[in-house]
Amino acid sequence: MKNLIILIFFGFIMTSSVKAQENRFSQDLYNTYEQYREHSIKHRRIKRSDIDSLIDKLKEKGFFSVRTLGHSAEGREINMVTAGKGKTKVLLWSQMHGDESTATMALFDIFNFLSASGDSFDPVRREILNKTTLYFIPMLNPDGAERFQRRNALEIDINRDASMLVSPESVILKNTRDSLQADFGFNLHDQSTRHSVGRSFRSATLSFLAPPVNYERTVNDVRERAMKLIANMYNELSLFIPGHMAKYPDDFEPRAFGDNIQRWGTSTILIESGGWHTDHEKQFTRKMNYTGLLSSMLSIATGSYKSRQIEEYYKIPDNADFIFDLLLRNLTLKTKDLSYRADLGINRMEVSSGGSSLYFHSLIEDMGDLSTYFGFEEFDCSSMEAFPGKVHPIIYKDMDEVRKLNFPELLKEGFTSVKVRREALHGKHSPVPLNLIAVDENGKTGYKESEFKPGAMADLVIYEGPQARFAVVNGFIYDLKTMSNNVFNGLILQ
């Protein structure tokens, strides 16, 4: 009995020591991130052409093995990058959805870390690379990435193609998983930045799931390993984003790769990268992917995740939808005929305009009593009145005339849009903090006046007494008292 107690005691001490080591590793990863960050990647709208040179550098290093797995529907290469020589096989794939690139950015940071040497991380690298073999597919859907859209060139959602295998990209992932018989799989995605951690004001910066293997959500050994690894990652990342992680719903989806790869015997971890306040390009979330994935690699190498309990996984709060991009509380809304009090919840939809640029199209998502919701930006507008934004009556001939306008003064007068000759307007978004409405040779437009209702454009001016206090243009707010301009863009309305 005495010997058993001693063994239990030393087992506890050893487990605690390993966990402490991994906590230090996570903290060191976080603190030194900029040393390993791939600085050539600065934004999320990355295409295959943006990573071609980086893939070539990996080939030249000799540290990695790089091979072509096949080609997308439009003929773009899909590569696998391999590192390590250990027994445990770990497969990671990113950008299955073309507009979900946060983890792709992080994978190139991880490549820099793994191939570095001569620093304090060398012992940890040896531990990871001697005990695991890491297989990375850093852009599974290059055709979707080219358009910065979810689906591939065939308009197929790859993550709903695990059974039919219509898309070449789906076949590549299935064949790769089957040939490797990987022990662990990381299915790396992005989710809406407006997901919350349960019914809270906290954004779900990362959400996790150990996908179910059937409708009954059975927990077999394969899924249990994934649950324990998630619990370990949740613990590690709580050092940096406490209260900003959630658990994705675990409804079984028989067409999805995550559910099927779990069912085929690879312990699969879904990671969904969500929002962090003001982090439009998800660079902080990228850093959290880097830290969490490398911490998990060490945990797999040491086996420390095995000491976690699946109850820890179930205690992770659920993903929910209780956040607006902009929430205006207690507004008195004024129209021609009515005056009433309501909250306004406004969301901004990101739209790719080609290349590396983007713009937003914002709408009033909901209105009324929104007291159970939260906003990335919130303003208490008690004692304030809001009117729909007006269109200035003058027609401007070109953008030179528009750029000379006094934008704050126009906004103070209640104008959120101006008219411009159609031939002078190009593109979809305005370079100035006003909407630009195209006018034909007869002075006519197809524009409908702003109004207060769900689905309407988010253009309004808010008054505090007789003075205009805020203007909202395309869902972005202009503080007319401090002259703080947070208007990312207006729209060009044809």
Side-chain angles (χ1 to χ4, degrees), residues 87-283:
K87 180 181 177 182
T88 303
K89 298 176 181 179
V90 183
L91 174 63
L92 306 93
W93 63 97
S94 72
Q95 226 161 335
M96 170 181 278
H97 294 139
D99 57 354
E100 298 180 5
S101 58
T102 303
T104 302
M105 297 188 289
L107 292 186
F108 284 94
D109 304 332
I110 289 170
F111 297 153
N112 288 343
F113 174 86
L114 291 174
S115 59
S117 62
D119 58 26
S120 61
F121 290 114
D122 278 350
V124 178
R125 288 191 192 95
R126 285 194 295 271
E127 182 82 12
I128 293 172
L129 296 171
N130 286 336
K131 292 185 177 178
T132 70
T133 303
L134 307 171
Y135 303 89
F136 304 88
I137 305 175
M139 187 181 282
L140 183 65
N141 182 6
D143 297 348
E146 189 71 17
R147 300 160 172 80
F148 205 64
Q149 69 177 28
R150 177 183 179 89
R151 295 170 181 259
N152 68 1
L154 305 178
E155 295 298 337
I156 297 291
D157 183 340
I158 296 172
N159 204 27
R160 296 295 181 267
D161 192 32
S163 297
M164 290 186 66
L165 299 175
V166 171
S167 300
E169 302 90 346
S170 307
V171 174
I172 286 170
L173 181 57
K174 174 70 162 61
N175 289 345
T176 302
R177 205 286 333 168
D178 290 350
S179 64
L180 294 176
Q181 290 294 307
D183 299 287
F184 290 91
F186 285 85
N187 188 10
L188 305 172
H189 287 260
D190 282 59
Q191 66 178 1
S192 169
T193 57
R194 293 184 288 274
H195 282 314
S196 61
V197 178
R199 288 180 170 270
S200 80
F201 65 91
R202 296 185 181 91
S203 59
T205 305
L206 292 177
S207 294
F208 307 103
L209 176 66
V213 296
N214 53 29
Y215 287 108
E216 293 73 30
R217 301 169 184 164
T218 300
V219 179
N220 57 13
D221 291 344
V222 175
R223 191 180 182 209
E224 182 177 326
R225 283 194 295 272
M227 288 177 165
K228 289 184 175 182
L229 191 57
I230 289 171
N232 197 74
M233 197 185 320
Y234 181 85
N235 176 266
E236 293 291 311
L237 293 180
S238 290
L239 294 168
F240 318 109
I241 48 172
H244 284 274
M245 289 177 285
K247 183 169 76 275
Y248 216 69
D250 65 346
D251 298 321
F252 180 61
E253 172 48 78
R255 302 169 298 163
F257 265 99
D259 305 56
N260 279 287
I261 290 178
Q262 192 91 278
R263 188 169 60 85
W264 297 331
T266 295
S267 295
T268 304
I269 296 91
L270 169 72
I271 300 179
E272 295 271 359
S273 295
W276 185 259
H277 184 56
T278 72
D279 184 27
H280 295 302
E281 289 298 332
K282 291 195 172 183
Q283 298 304 300

Side-chain angles (χ1 to χ4, degrees), residues 219-483:
V219 179
N220 57 13
D221 291 344
V222 175
R223 191 180 182 209
E224 182 177 326
R225 283 194 295 272
M227 288 177 165
K228 289 184 175 182
L229 191 57
I230 289 171
N232 197 74
M233 197 185 320
Y234 181 85
N235 176 266
E236 293 291 311
L237 293 180
S238 290
L239 294 168
F240 318 109
I241 48 172
H244 284 274
M245 289 177 285
K247 183 169 76 275
Y248 216 69
D250 65 346
D251 298 321
F252 180 61
E253 172 48 78
R255 302 169 298 163
F257 265 99
D259 305 56
N260 279 287
I261 290 178
Q262 192 91 278
R263 188 169 60 85
W264 297 331
T266 295
S267 295
T268 304
I269 296 91
L270 169 72
I271 300 179
E272 295 271 359
S273 295
W276 185 259
H277 184 56
T278 72
D279 184 27
H280 295 302
E281 289 298 332
K282 291 195 172 183
Q283 298 304 300
F284 179 73
T285 314
R286 165 187 181 175
K287 182 177 179 178
M288 289 297 94
N289 272 260
Y290 165 88
T291 305
L293 288 171
L294 281 169
S295 297
S296 293
M297 291 171 193
L298 178 60
S299 182
I300 290 170
T302 63
S304 66
Y305 72 92
K306 296 175 184 177
S307 66
R308 295 288 173 188
Q309 305 298 315
I310 62 172
E311 288 75 20
E312 297 176 74
Y313 170 83
Y314 285 118
K315 286 180 181 178
I316 298 173
D318 291 332
N319 227 27
D321 293 284
F322 285 91
I323 297 178
F324 294 104
D325 286 319
L326 174 63
L327 181 54
L328 304 172
R329 297 192 186 275
N330 304 310
L331 264 176
T332 297
L333 304 180
K334 307 278 283 191
T335 66
K336 293 178 181 177
D337 304 313
L338 298 171
S339 175
Y340 55 99
R341 177 163 291 192
D343 304 327
L344 282 185
I346 294 168
N347 282 338
R348 303 160 184 151
M349 277 59 73
E350 183 178 296
V351 184
S352 176
S353 56
S356 61
S357 61
L358 79 158
Y359 67 98
F360 291 88
H361 185 188
S362 303
L363 300 173
I364 297 172
E365 187 74 22
D366 201 357
M367 57 188 293
D369 180 1
L370 303 180
S371 57
T372 60
Y373 289 82
F374 307 90
F376 274 118
E377 290 182 282
E378 283 195 24
F379 293 85
D380 183 358
C381 299
S382 300
S383 76
M384 297 185 193
E385 297 179 334
F387 295 83
K390 298 186 295 184
V391 180
H392 200 273
I394 295 176
I395 299 173
Y396 297 94
K397 67 177 183 180
D398 56 36
M399 287 303 298
D400 288 338
E401 287 189 349
V402 172
R403 288 189 179 93
K404 293 175 183 177
L405 294 173
N406 187 328
F407 303 120
E409 286 304 313
L410 284 172
L411 293 169
K412 285 179 181 179
E413 294 171 17
F415 298 108
T416 57
S417 304
V418 296
K419 298 177 182 178
V420 185
R421 291 292 181 190
R422 176 170 279 116
E423 59 269 19
L425 296 178
H426 306 283
K428 297 288 187 180
H429 61 97
S430 163
V432 299
L434 291 172
N435 297 317
L436 306 180
I437 299 173
V439 178
D440 65 18
E441 62 274 11
N442 299 315
K444 294 183 178 180
T445 75
Y447 174 73
K448 186 179 180 181
E449 294 286 338
S450 298
E451 56 186 331
F452 294 132
K453 70 175 186 178
M457 290 182 59
D459 298 313
L460 56 143
V461 178
I462 302 169
Y463 290 81
E464 190 170 34
Q467 303 295 321
R469 180 69 175 83
F470 299 105
V472 177
V473 180
N474 190 27
F476 291 85
I477 197 158
Y478 202 129
D479 188 328
L480 295 167
K481 184 175 183 180
T482 64
M483 292 303 169

